Amino acid sequence: MRSSQVLIATLKETPADAEIISHQLMLRAGLVRRLASGLYTWLPMGLKVLRKAEAIVRQEMTSAGAQELLMPSIQPAELWQKTGRWNKYGPELLRLKDRHGREFCYGPTHEEVITELVGQEVRSYKQLPITFYQIQTKFRDEIRPRFGLMRAREFLMKDAYSFHLDQESLQQTYDSMFAAYSKIFERMGLNFRPVQADTGSIGGNASHEFHVLASSGEDAIAFSSQSQYAANVELAEALAPRGKRLPAVAKMTNVDTPKKHTIDEVCQYLDIMPAQCIKTILVQGSEEGSVVALVIRGDHEINEVKAEKNPLIAAPLTFCTPEQVTKACGASIGSIGPVGLTIPLLVDRAAANIANFVCGANQNGQHFSGVNWARDLPEPETADLRNVVAGDPSPDGEGVLEIARGIEVGHIFQLGDNYSKKLNANVLAESGKSQILSMGCYGIGVSRVIAATIEQYHDDRGIIWPLALAPFQVVLVPINAHKSIRLRESAEALYQHLLDAGFDILFDDRGQRPGVAFADMDLIGIPHRLILGERGLDNGMVEYKCRADGSESEFSIDDVVVQLRKRLNI
RNA sequence: CGGGGCAUGGCGCAGUCUGGUAGCGCACUUCGCUGGGGGUGAAGGGGUCGUAGGUUCGAAUCCUACUGUUCCGACCA
């Protein structure tokens, strides 16, 4: 393609509202433009990239045996009412009415539609298992869209759904989707990790997320230094400490801690480490109006996902109001402790393992020190309530955990029969009886993958596309073509030659000054650059530069196809 | 939802405090010189100063309301 025929909408300056690097570079390279909060137009150059990502996804879905279809982006409320999600989904669901006053939503996901469809169209066990996928625009009315395309409201998603008679078949498709996802992200050239994940409100047996590793990632993932174990921190189990609790030597005493509320303040005031304190957090219990105390070590954090799974605790996890706190323990936030509490107490394994600790005294401005379980208060009921931290033992017993940041680009679930039951999706089984289908669902945030890729591959000049996602594989820049008919003709001929040889090539025929052309192409991130100038032409040579490592070389024009193929690894 | 910032040409910003009819850089158009990492000179085009009210002889500037947008928070014991 000729650059004079593609919109090259590069920006010299960084737009003020772009915070993270991928957002800045997508705007600067002219891949996208913002229309409204969380809504973006894909410009031609950006769309080329998006289509390449889509193509990879399509190929791997097809070879994993999934069939492509396309469902409407607008869905009737009725379907969502049947599964109960019309009420449950909350304000993220964009609801709308047509001219007759019928209610619809803009689909944030398509479980309802596909389940309904399969329930109608698939009648016999002989047609199973079956997997469908689509690449469709979704809309989720995020509380706070941010980071450009990373957390946009409208985004492009590949979603696949599989249908089965039994768990074994579901597991098989799940495994092949897992493999297909790995293949997809490998082909894109991404540094990624599959991790065990929480199934969230959807429920189900198994779930994995695929994360692109990047320091700007919104998720924390834990992985073992020695084994294959990897999990979202939301899920990663914090094992009980191996060592025995130290003996209770200190005497429990009441200490004044005026106006010291946070763990940090108390620790500084008493000159102790946060690990010697415990913090007590009051949350709503699962019974209406009840309150439960959660106890963790001072240097740890509550894991909401784990906590709300506890039968005593209300989901979603809700912290108590100041009034409830005062009523339950007689002190306000900052002075709560487990000693003498009459409400149910759940203690994290690590917090249960410390001795001679400091905690709130349930009296404002007072803490206890030298407190010990089984002496000053009963031996506690323990639970896993905290986020794992780096250095914790790996839950599989091998190695210790490390923590990294990740961008979630894919998520696969075993849904079971949650949706099929409610939408009555069943088939006749071999026995002649009708049977509810069991389901899996598999998503990839295609537009997010693009942003994640840029987070991983850029430098101070711009984007450095992995070959598989680059808008063009090669760019040909003629230098000073305006001055020389010979050069113009040679450049045209070379362009045609490379086109015929099957390269995905951009011919920069804009006639810009070399500096401008180079800067634009570096910003856009085309992996391989050929430069044709008078100098080289005299010797029948063309210059080559690699975007990723900056290496330069020169080779004969006659040899250019061979040389490029070598560098493109084809 | 709570708190803060911002809104002036396509982009980045100044001007607002102290009211007098809008400016800079980049980009864009034309012409010249130049031509291997965002060159240069000249001449141009482009702005209801977010919207609506109000104060005033006069409002980008002061007041009120609204809208948009963005950042932080919604893990706090």
Side-chain angles (χ1 to χ4, degrees):
Chain A
M1 195 173 279
R2 291 164 190 274
S3 64
S4 56
Q5 292 171 337
V6 196
L7 179 66
I8 309 267
T10 52
L11 260 29
K12 231 184 222 181
E13 286 175 281
T14 305
D17 51 7
E19 200 65 15
I20 61 167
I21 194 74
S22 60
H23 188 195
Q24 293 175 354
L25 287 176
M26 287 179 91
L27 291 169
R28 286 229 293 135
L31 306 186
V32 297
R33 285 293 182 264
R34 194 187 67 89
L35 176 65
S37 178
L39 303 178
Y40 290 84
T41 296
W42 286 86
L43 301 179
M45 192 65 75
L47 190 60
K48 294 267 299 176
V49 179
L50 194 64
R51 294 290 185 237
K52 292 213 174 175
E54 279 181 39
I56 292 173
V57 171
R58 275 203 178 86
Q59 283 169 17
E60 295 304 329
M61 281 297 112
T62 304
S63 56
Q67 306 174 42
E68 183 167 15
L69 46 62
L70 186 60
M71 293 177 265
S73 57
I74 305 278
Q75 307 177 16
E78 194 193 356
L79 268 183
W80 285 70
Q81 283 155 353
K82 279 188 191 166
T83 58
R85 290 211 290 183
W86 185 257
N87 293 325
K88 219 167 123 188
Y89 213 90
E92 258 184 47
L93 187 63
L94 178 67
R95 294 151 216 258
L96 41 120
K97 281 183 185 168
D98 70 5
R99 60 167 69 194
H100 305 292
R102 294 189 198 110
E103 289 193 293
F104 291 85
C105 64
Y106 196 111
T109 173
H110 282 71
E111 281 85 9
E112 278 82 359
V113 181
I114 191 72
T115 309
E116 170 92 349
L117 179 86
V118 168
Q120 282 167 3
E121 303 302 326
V122 178
R123 297 183 181 89
S124 163
Y125 74 95
K126 291 176 189 166
Q127 292 169 284
L128 298 178
I130 195 164
T131 306
F132 297 101
Y133 77 98
Q134 65 169 350
I135 298 179
Q136 170 66 287
T137 294
K138 315 267 184 175
F139 188 94
R140 292 180 188 170
D141 202 354
E142 296 280 347
I143 296 180
R144 191 177 148 206
R146 61 184 118 179
F147 305 146
L149 272 291
M150 199 73 88
R151 185 170 289 282
R153 292 196 292 175
E154 188 176 296
F155 57 99
L156 193 66
M157 181 172 174
K158 185 285 300 179
D159 48 326
Y161 307 90
S162 67
F163 296 85
H164 313 268
L165 227 41
D166 54 41
Q167 174 62 31
E168 191 190 343
S169 165
L170 171 55
Q171 186 65 46
Q172 253 172 32
T173 299
Y174 186 86
D175 291 344
S176 72
M177 282 291 156
F178 187 102
Y181 272 43
S182 301
K183 192 92 181 288
I184 287 167
F185 299 123
E186 266 161 36
R187 282 184 61 185
M188 290 176 176
L190 296 169
N191 181 213
F192 72 98
R193 252 179 200 269
V195 306
Q196 293 174 26
D198 182 46
T199 50
S201 49
I202 301 175
N205 306 311
S207 172
H208 285 85
E209 290 167 351
F210 287 74
H211 284 264
V212 167
L213 301 183
S215 54
S216 59
E218 290 189 274
D219 283 292
I221 59 180
F223 55 97
S224 166
S225 57
Q226 276 170 37
S227 72
Q228 286 301 301
Y229 179 87
N232 193 305
V233 163
E234 287 180 343
L235 189 79
E237 186 180 5
L239 297 179
R242 289 222 191 91
K244 273 208 169 142
R245 200 155 65 198
L246 294 171
V249 289
K251 212 175 118 193
M252 182 167 110
T253 50
N254 208 323
V255 289
D256 282 333
T257 49
K259 294 195 179 134
K260 308 297 175 198
H261 300 297
T262 66
I263 290 288
D264 282 347
E265 285 166 1
V266 171
C267 286
Q268 207 162 23
Y269 184 72
L270 299 177
D271 195 23
I272 51 168
M273 302 292 289
Q276 291 172 259
C277 301
I278 60 171
K279 47 183 172 189
T280 309
I281 295 158
L282 303 188
V283 300
Q284 311 279 359
S286 47
E287 268 177 54
E288 189 70 28
S290 68
V291 170
V292 177
L294 307 181
V295 174
I296 56 172
R297 222 167 69 185
D299 56 333
H300 287 150
E301 286 178 337
I302 284 283
N303 180 311
E304 287 192 36
V305 173
K306 290 177 185 174
E308 68 189 26
K309 279 186 190 157
N310 190 293
L312 286 176
I313 299 170
L317 191 72
T318 314
F319 294 96
C320 286
T321 61
E323 294 75 40
Q324 282 179 302
V325 170
T326 312
K327 199 178 150 206
C329 71
S332 52
I333 288 169
S335 303
I336 312 172
V339 180
L341 279 189
T342 52
I343 55 175
L345 200 65
L346 283 172
V347 180
D348 182 70
R349 293 159 176 170
N353 196 248
I354 59 173
N356 311 306
F357 56 82
V358 168
C359 65
N362 296 323
Q363 202 177 337
N364 287 344
Q366 298 281 309
H367 277 74
F368 289 129
S369 76
V371 185
N372 283 281
W373 301 110
R375 186 192 72 184
D376 308 316
L377 69 179
E379 191 64 50
E381 181 183 339
T382 63
D384 178 15
L385 295 174
R386 69 178 175 95
N387 285 334
V388 292
V389 295
D392 278 347
S394 175
D396 67 353
E398 294 180 57
V400 295
L401 291 178
E402 294 171 31
I403 310 281
R405 307 294 305 178
I407 299 164
E408 184 191 343
V409 290
H411 200 161
I412 60 178
F413 283 88
Q414 293 186 12
L415 291 178
D417 58 8
N418 276 329
Y419 294 90
S420 44
K421 224 188 240 166
K422 286 170 183 153
L423 292 166
N424 206 24
N426 46 35
V427 297
L428 277 189
E430 202 171 357
S431 61
K433 285 181 186 159
S434 101
Q435 188 180 330
I436 292 286
L437 293 172
S438 128
M439 287 176 67
C441 85
Y442 319 90
I444 290 180
V446 183
S447 44
R448 180 182 282 184
V449 165
I450 308 300
T453 304
I454 296 172
E455 289 295 322
Q456 216 165 62
Y457 296 111
H458 66 269
D459 63 13
D460 52 7
R461 285 180 177 169
I463 302 167
I464 305 172
W465 288 113
L467 194 59
L469 293 179
F472 296 92
Q473 297 172 327
V474 184
V475 58
L476 171 63
V477 186
I479 300 284
N480 295 333
H482 64 285
K483 282 209 293 204
S484 157
I485 297 175
R486 187 178 63 121
L487 185 69
R488 266 202 304 277
E489 286 174 349
S490 305
E492 285 285 348
L494 181 56
Y495 169 53
Q496 200 54 53
H497 181 50
L498 291 169
L499 221 46
D500 293 343
F503 290 106
D504 184 15
I505 181 165
L506 180 68
F507 180 33
D508 195 359
D509 62 344
R510 294 176 299 169
Q512 288 285 1
R513 308 175 65 81
V516 174
F518 294 159
D520 276 347
M521 295 310 142
D522 283 350
L523 177 57
I524 292 168
I526 297 173
H528 303 281
R529 185 212 293 168
L530 291 174
I531 303 142
L532 191 63
E534 289 257 62
R535 258 177 4 213
L537 195 56
D538 291 338
N539 306 316
M541 302 295 271
V542 61
E543 292 157 61
Y544 164 86
K545 184 162 186 180
C546 172
R547 175 67 181 92
D549 61 19
S551 65
E552 293 179 74
S553 50
E554 206 176 15
F555 36 77
S556 152
I557 294 176
D558 301 331
D559 210 20
V560 71
V561 170
V562 173
Q563 289 289 343
L564 265 185
R565 285 205 172 124
K566 206 166 82 190
R567 286 169 172 79
L568 290 170
N569 225 346
I570 49 177

